[in-house]
Amino acid sequence: MWWRSPSFILDREQQQQNDSVPPNPESLFLSSPPPSMADSLQNPKSNISAYYQTRAAHHAVVTSDWLAQAQAAVGSHTDDEESSGIDGRAAATDEDGGGGGGKAFSVIDEFNSWRKQPDLAEAVAAIFALAAVIRASQATTMMELEIELKKASDSLKSWDTTSISLTAGCDLFMRYVTRTSALEYEDFNSAKSRLIERAEKFGEISCKARRIIAMLSQDFIFDGCTILVHGFSRVVLEVLKTAAQNKKLFRVFCTEGRPDRTGLRLSNELAKLDVPVKLLIDSAVAYTMDEVDMVFVGADGVVESGGIINMMGTYQIALVAHSMNKPVYVAAESYKFARLYPLDQKDMGPALRPIDFGVPIPSKVEVETSARDYTPPQYLTLLFTDLGVLTPSVVSDELIQLYL
Amino acid sequence: MPDTQALVNDFLNQLKKRKIEGSQATAKQTAELLRSVISQTRVPYTNQAGALIDSVKAVGERLIAANPVELAVGNIVRRVLHIIREEDVSLTTAAMAGLNLSAVSDDEDDADRDDRPVLSAAAVAAASRSTLRPPSLQTLLEDVPDSAAVPHTSSSGGDSEGKSKSADKSSRSRKLKHDVIEAVNELIQDINTCHEQIAEQAVEHIHQNEVILTLGSSRTVLEFLCAAKEKKRSFRVFVAEGAPRYQGHLLAKELVARGLQTTLITDSAVFAMISRVNMVIVGAHAVMANGGVIAPVGLNMVALAAQKHAVPFVVLAGSHKLCPLYPHNPEVLLNELRSPSELLDFGEFSDCMDFGSGNGAPLLHVVNPTFDYVPPKLVSLFITDTGGHNPSYMYRLIADYYSADDLVVQRRPTSGN
Amino acid sequence: MGAQKKGATARVSEDPEELARHPLQAILLADSFTTKFRPITLERPKVLLPLANIPMIDYTLAWLESAGVEEVFVFCCAHSKQVIDYLESSDWSSQPNFLVATIESHNSISAGDALRLIYERHVIHGDFVLISGDTVSNMSLTQALQEHKERRKKDANAIMTMVVKQSKPSPITQQSRLGTDELFMAINPDTKQLLCYEDKAEYSKGFISLDKTLIADNPSTVLHNDKQDCYIDICSEEVLSLFTDNFDYQHLRRHFVKGLLVDDIMGYKIFTHEIHSSYAARIDNFRSYDTISKDIIQRWTYPFVPDVLCGNSAIRVERRGTYRASEITLSRSAQIGPFIVIGQGTEIGNDTKISHSVIGEGCTIGSNVTIEGSYIWNNVTIEDGCELRHAIVCDGVTMKSGAVLEPGVVLSFKVVVGQQFVVPAYSMVSLLQQPTQQDSDEELEYADSSSGNVELPSAKLNGDITSDLSETRHGPTSELGTGGVGYIWSIFEGGHDEEWRHSVAPIPTDKLAKIMLDKDEDEELLTQDGNVLSPSGELKSDSDANDSEDGDNEGSRDDYVSFEKEVEATFLRAVHENVKVDHVILEVNALRLSYNMASVDCAGAIFYSMMKLAVESPHSSSSELHRNAADVITTWQNLLKSFLHDIDEEIEVILKFEEICLESAKEFSPLFAQILHLLYDKDILEEDAILRWADEKEGADESDKVFVQRAEKFLQVRNELIMSIRVCIWLL
């Protein structure tokens, strides 16, 4: 557990920062339209987690003309399999060319450049970034390369401690590097090329992952069922899309998902697939739960306990569902498996995000701006991952197998 | 080949007509059938495993379709497929181990064709092992998990093909088939002996002067209890009769014949009696991958009763009942509705079903489901022929018995709706 | 899966031992030899009609196969080509140890002919199962066969075992739930021997007569009206030879069974085997088609249910008995009720409501359609806004938007119903013209489909379509509205009563109410001592006609007439078969009870029938007539007396006599006095009865007095006697 303590300290000082910031400008700032990509790139240590800014950027936080933006996003949704994979490789190559000469190379920029494309998951972006590092590196032995990568990944992780999948991605890749280096190699270059090849392969796999998950989950969606969805998860959307394509007759309840209002976005998407969809305010979950047949959520990260870390509100939905004996299904790609073991809610770095209450909040009032919560495994029924359908206990087993 | 065809058709027929009863019998017959299928298949020089797998799959699919409710069929088919893959791999690794660097180098140029890691024998072994394990994070990085990842691609035998292709240069001609048949024989052996295997553990679980409750009749349970009895344990058994077929009566007969103190109760009396019970021991029809149990109807109630009074609920199941699928909507899809005549006499009620009067709609509807689904959280312990296991541990057993890309055999029929 | 229900376990243990000697054979009649399923059966044989989307014959064959039968001879006659083609295309022809052979004939017009033909082929050795191709069952034959064989060992004359099943007939309409007429079977409860077999067609005259010898030599006889004949017979070879011997046997039950029951020369016996847990029923008419379909959907026929029977195209049972094939395009707003079967590739539009129906494969159903208790076969097109209630719609039918089918409609193949057209209830629609003059079920679909082969109807059919189209072009002259194609068959006379009895539609409540009203018989009498009767349909209908026009006294009067007829019939039978007097008394009492008449009426009636007998017995002169009357009276005086308990009855007799002389038999009028005297001498009549009668007549007008005067002399004698006695008393 060496890794948790530093992140803790980090959180602390972040908190202090938040409190130190004068309230009035903050509220002003918050009420202003969402921060663009640009300002999220500099000041990574702002009081708003970069993770959530990217989410915001990707998910086109709902504004007056959210419809239009949603349209655009969906347009790009259609061809996610190849596109990201392809231009991933393309970019990688020219990166290679440029990186050969210049010393000026930062993982962060690399990472951000990858992260720009809407459908590339953070973990993948991270791994691509690391791959670029390998290409750029002048290391001559496996050992050096490893050290270099370690540095890079650490800097990535520390750059945004709140993004779990980023951390997970880095860990995963580092793990692989150490494994390969363990196997004796004929010559260094082949090993290097091998690593890069792997990285790209990984990109493709992670793109395929959503299709796989969608496939796996089909059997569980039966005709006439009602599905409660919380938050906007690309995987969950993919699942529902596939179900609609398979002529399943089902309806969806979307929670509003304050303050990101992700529910509005999802409901919009579903309406396009003419799936009957109903919007609930987040507090109406328990009220509607008796009509619900199953709960579908995505995950920011899947932790070693088999529980998940997901958008704020997942935990309480899971609790309600459990108390009413409704299954809770989680759709998450395997690169979201993270080496965390949170023991309670406060146990991980809170990702903070602005909450717009419409009216200015007096400074004395404290606002809980944490964006996500931890749902313990006993409240989850099954996880649909690209590794297959898993029970929470299997997940923890997987992680242990990998990192022990 | 023709004679196996006849065998297959005959077996299909029996399955369709629901003539074979009990998962053990079904499992045994399936295994024997598949064995003969394998022995009949003439394998090409290259890619033997592929050929075997294909032929087994072809038959297996029809068998499963014949009676999708009898999960044992699918289980055995997958077991056999898994066996083939295992044998194949073991031979491959054996062969690869012998290969020198030259082999590696010319592997290297076809590396892009079939994307396998071009590593030393150890790596190959690791890779091939990983295809047998269910897909995991390692496979995610080490080896393209096409096999695991895309269970829906029609050519799910593809990767093993690739593997064996690369390894066929080694001299393993007839060996594979022989090994496979050997392994299948072992499997059949296991199925036959699973009762004894389970019964052996009886003493560890049943203690002096305990009260055991069971519902309906299961041969496994019978042998289990009797085994404990032979070990000089003295205990009492409550038998719930298990409506509507009242198998419990037969069980009570048997138990008394073996000199066990037996009490027969109605199913509805279970809650009343449970407080005096130390342990509930029941058989199962199938055990799903999440530890849920498909069991004779009425057991869910018993399980709930047991939970209410914190009585351990123990399920006995031979490993052939282990099903690698996750139950979705099990009450409907994995159930069999039998004839209502088991519940009431048609003649007596014929006037209730005179559609000539009224609006022609049948007012009386008799439902007679065969199975219950007991969710994993109600099960305290599974006792299989390999020992006792926690429900959450079931997936591990399944990982040992089945290889992930065989699920496809079953998935086709179930993904109908 | 645990053990299985009795039937199946028996089935498993079946084949080896007792069937091993010779393969168990079965004769399957793939032709019903009736016209109940007109007009459908003009174009397709009955056995190929889909039952829950599976041809009937498949159910039958599947059962035979699983019941351990090894050889089946399918006898096909009408549309034999279709049947044979089907069997060859299906996988029945390629079963490992289940041989299906077809026997084709073109000139058989009845089951009798069929069996005769089969006999000539010499294919049947030993016992065999005789079944028709429209029977659904899941019973186990083992026990029945066992019993049959044992009986054979004991008694070579026990040549047949009939399978029966309990099924209560509706008390209101005398018909079983299968729409067949109420069936009476006299069975010996110990030996299970069948003693009498009466279905309604036979006893329409209102009562069943049991041969007294039956009652004599069977210590106990139970007469059931709640047994359903499953039309599954286990026969010995003799049966076939019997058919060849008596070439006039046509119908299996009406001729063969009854024939055996009545003739006691050969002394052949028929026994019954009752099944309880398992199911067996025959599709005899549209109602039974409906009923059995519902039984199948409710899984009484397990394992012969759609989802098990056709493993290949995966049909799945869902909650509330909904059977759905895999590829169905179902609109989200469609409301699919309980007990539905939906076949492969069917499309159902928005807001369509379906309940208790079977829908075939490849159908296209528009939006806002209402389908209720209907049977829709394959490739049917139903456009928006149609309504179907309790109808049968055959392959390839098209219903234009807004068309309506009222209950009981049958649309035969490829019919087109025009827009907004309402097909009246119970009407049969076909592309084929209605064959001229069909009257009864006796007649065979073979004889008048003008020649057996299938080509001709089809050719005719095309012709029809074209012609109809042309005529629709001219104007909406088609019988089925604009753009409609097909002929509505006229409901043939006499059938009208049957329409509601045998159609798929449930019996309308007003009908039920009407019958209820007509009913005046109580149940427990139905099976009272060997002599049963129940008023027949015709009787009721005209009686209620009377009811409607004038009061119930008229009705009762009318009753009395029929009662008198009954009594007379009984009496005559008694005379001819010289039944013992007390038997007759019993029977007459039974009659009296069931008609709830007073014993007065009995007396009258009996006397009436006696006199009638006297008159009818040949006589030239009045003297002979007198003699006749005399010995009739003398022979039957006890009978008469037993009903003359008090004076009123005697008077009644005299009045009756008077009436006879006036109306029915004028011949008696001269003899009135003598016979009166005779009656007095036989002291059937007390004298004061006669006097009272005379006094009553005092007030009457002349015409009425005529007989009083006739009897004057006799009366005077009486009076004088009385006088003199009185005088003596007075003198003393």
Side-chain angles (χ1 to χ4, degrees), chain B residues 6 9-10 13 15-24 26 65-70 217-218 245 247 250 284-285 296 321 329-333 335-368 370-371 412-417, chain C residues 1-6 8 11-12 15 62 65-67 91-92 95-97 138 165-170 175-178 228 275-279 287 290-292 294-295 297-305 307-312 314 316-321 326-327 339 356 372 390 504-509 512:
Chain B
N9 288 330
D10 189 26
N13 218 329
L15 280 174
K16 269 205 186 113
K17 298 280 164 27
R18 309 296 197 250
K19 277 189 182 177
I20 311 177
E21 284 302 326
S23 33
Q24 199 202 9
T26 322
N67 183 353
V69 179
E70 184 50 87
S217 169
S218 148
R245 268 174 289 158
Q247 296 294 311
L250 306 179
H285 171 63
K321 294 184 175 180
N329 200 354
E331 295 82 357
V332 178
L333 295 188
N335 217 332
E336 172 110 38
L337 295 175
R338 301 177 138 284
S339 163
S341 57
E342 288 172 357
L343 271 67
L344 47 79
D345 177 14
F346 185 87
E348 284 309 310
F349 285 76
S350 56
D351 44 359
C352 307
M353 286 171 292
D354 189 346
F355 309 128
S357 47
N359 64 348
L363 296 176
L364 176 66
H365 182 208
V366 189
V367 185
N368 180 13
T370 316
F371 300 123
R412 230 167 261 139
T414 51
S415 66
N417 59 347
Chain C
M1 202 187 277
Q4 206 186 9
K5 66 176 202 231
K6 298 184 277 325
R11 226 182 280 142
V12 175
D15 339 301
E65 194 269 344
S66 64
D91 57 359
W92 288 116
Q95 291 285 343
N97 41 24
N138 62 357
K165 179 166 181 59
Q166 187 189 18
S167 154
K168 298 170 187 161
S170 146
Q175 64 178 18
S176 71
R177 57 194 294 273
L178 294 177
Q228 161 202 331
I275 53 176
H276 295 285
S277 66
S278 44
Y279 183 90
R287 166 148 344 275
D290 173 56
T291 310
I292 292 174
K294 283 176 175 144
D295 290 343
I297 290 171
Q298 299 214 10
R299 302 183 83 78
W300 284 101
T301 60
Y302 182 92
F304 306 113
V305 287
D307 55 327
V308 178
L309 217 47
C310 56
N312 45 5
R316 178 169 300 122
V317 197
E318 291 166 10
R319 286 208 167 83
R320 306 172 66 209
S326 39
E327 288 89 30
F339 307 116
H356 304 106
E372 216 176 79
H390 307 290
V504 281
I507 301 164
T509 43
L512 286 174

Side-chain angles (χ1 to χ4, degrees), chain A residues 10-39:
Chain A
L10 255 160
D11 307 338
R12 287 285 150 273
E13 65 199 23
Q14 271 191 353
Q15 292 290 21
Q16 283 135 21
Q17 280 185 4
N18 302 345
D19 306 340
S20 64
V21 176
N24 199 7
E26 174 171 15
S27 58
L28 277 177
F29 169 69
L30 291 180
S31 52
S32 71
S36 76
M37 186 67 78
D39 55 359

Side-chain angles (χ1 to χ4, degrees), chain C residues 360-377:
Chain C
E361 302 177 353
C363 296
T364 317
I365 298 174
S367 39
N368 298 314
V369 179
T370 309
I371 302 178
E372 216 176 79
S374 304
Y375 296 87
I376 296 168
W377 297 357

